[in-house]
Amino acid sequence: MDSAGPVRQARPRWRSPLRLPATRGGRRRALWVVMTACVLALLPATWVYAAGTPRVRDMAHVPSAPVAMVFGAGLWEGKPSPYLAHRLDAAAELYRAGKVRVVLVTGDNSRDDYDEPDAMRAYLTERGVPDDRIVSDFAGFDTWDSCARAQRIFGVKRAVLITQGFHIRRALALCEAAGIDAYGVGVAAKHDVTWYAGGAREVFASGKAALDALVRPSPAFLGPHEPGVERALAAG
């Protein structure tokens, strides 16, 4: 038996896979790469802000338009969420003030148990907007689809867009890319967790928005022309 005892093997030293370059020139190049990546990541958000901001107005000063577009924002037990309710309240107020003649509610109805447009319609009629002045788009699955379908399916050429302040600039930029002459009202909202999450999401969503505006893809569902907006305007 070896009196020296068992031989201990040296444990390999752990090294981080992320290592700074050893030379000053390498570190400088790495810094430029990081800075360039940050700038490129922020370019879409900058475009959204620059394109949308000039057309944001408050309720008192938004120009009149034939149509108000209200974007879906979720349901709670089949009823509009507080964020969506605030949007619908603004639409009802604009209708009563005579600034819009028709309200186009655009949202998600991809499941049998989830129907944003019908919930939005019911909320508006309860607040005095006539049912025949409300038109439903059941395939507004995202902001681009809502804008593209409003122009291509419903024939909307001028509109007032209604959503929260953190979303209004992206909605305006995309509707402009879709061919709609629009102004927007960014309704107020409590600065809670949802508000901060929505604001953070816009930074990432602006990348998709820039791609949609550049490529202008067809919506998930296109379909034939829908005369609902034209009929509602003609009746009024």
Side-chain angles (χ1 to χ4, degrees), residues 62-71 91 94-95 98-106 133-136 146 150-151 154-162 180-185 228-234:
V62 69
S64 298
V67 179
M69 280 181 62
V70 184
F71 298 83
L94 288 175
Y95 178 83
K99 288 201 167 186
V100 299
R101 296 159 54 200
V102 173
V103 181
L104 174 63
V105 293
T106 173
R133 295 291 182 272
I134 305 169
V135 179
S136 298
S146 292
Q151 196 276 334
F154 294 91
V156 175
K157 295 179 175 61
R158 288 194 302 120
V160 174
L161 313 184
I162 304 173
I180 299 174
D181 179 18
Y183 284 84
V185 174
V229 170
E230 296 165 356
R231 288 175 180 170
L233 291 172

Side-chain angles (χ1 to χ4, degrees), residues 15-50:
R15 294 181 180 181
S16 170
L18 299 176
R19 300 178 63 189
L20 291 175
T23 66
R24 180 178 299 177
R27 289 193 292 271
R28 186 180 296 114
R29 287 191 294 272
L31 178 61
W32 275 109
V33 169
V34 172
M35 291 177 62
T36 302
C38 290
V39 169
L40 291 175
L42 290 174
L43 278 178
T46 303
W47 166 74
V48 165
Y49 189 87

Side-chain angles (χ1 to χ4, degrees), residues 88-89 91-92 103 105 119-129 134:
L88 295 166
D89 288 337
V103 181
V105 293
M120 295 160 78
R121 177 186 290 270
Y123 188 96
L124 287 170
T125 56
E126 290 170 0
R127 282 149 185 82
V129 180
I134 305 169

Side-chain angles (χ1 to χ4, degrees), residues 159-209:
V160 174
L161 313 184
I162 304 173
T163 181
Q164 265 68 38
F166 57 75
H167 176 229
I168 191 61
R169 290 167 179 81
R170 179 161 61 93
L172 283 164
L174 286 175
C175 277
E176 180 184 7
I180 299 174
D181 179 18
Y183 284 84
V185 174
V187 297
K190 181 180 178 181
H191 288 198
D192 55 9
V193 173
T194 302
W195 188 90
Y196 286 108
R201 177 179 177 274
E202 287 302 307
V203 176
F204 300 97
S206 60
K208 179 181 181 300

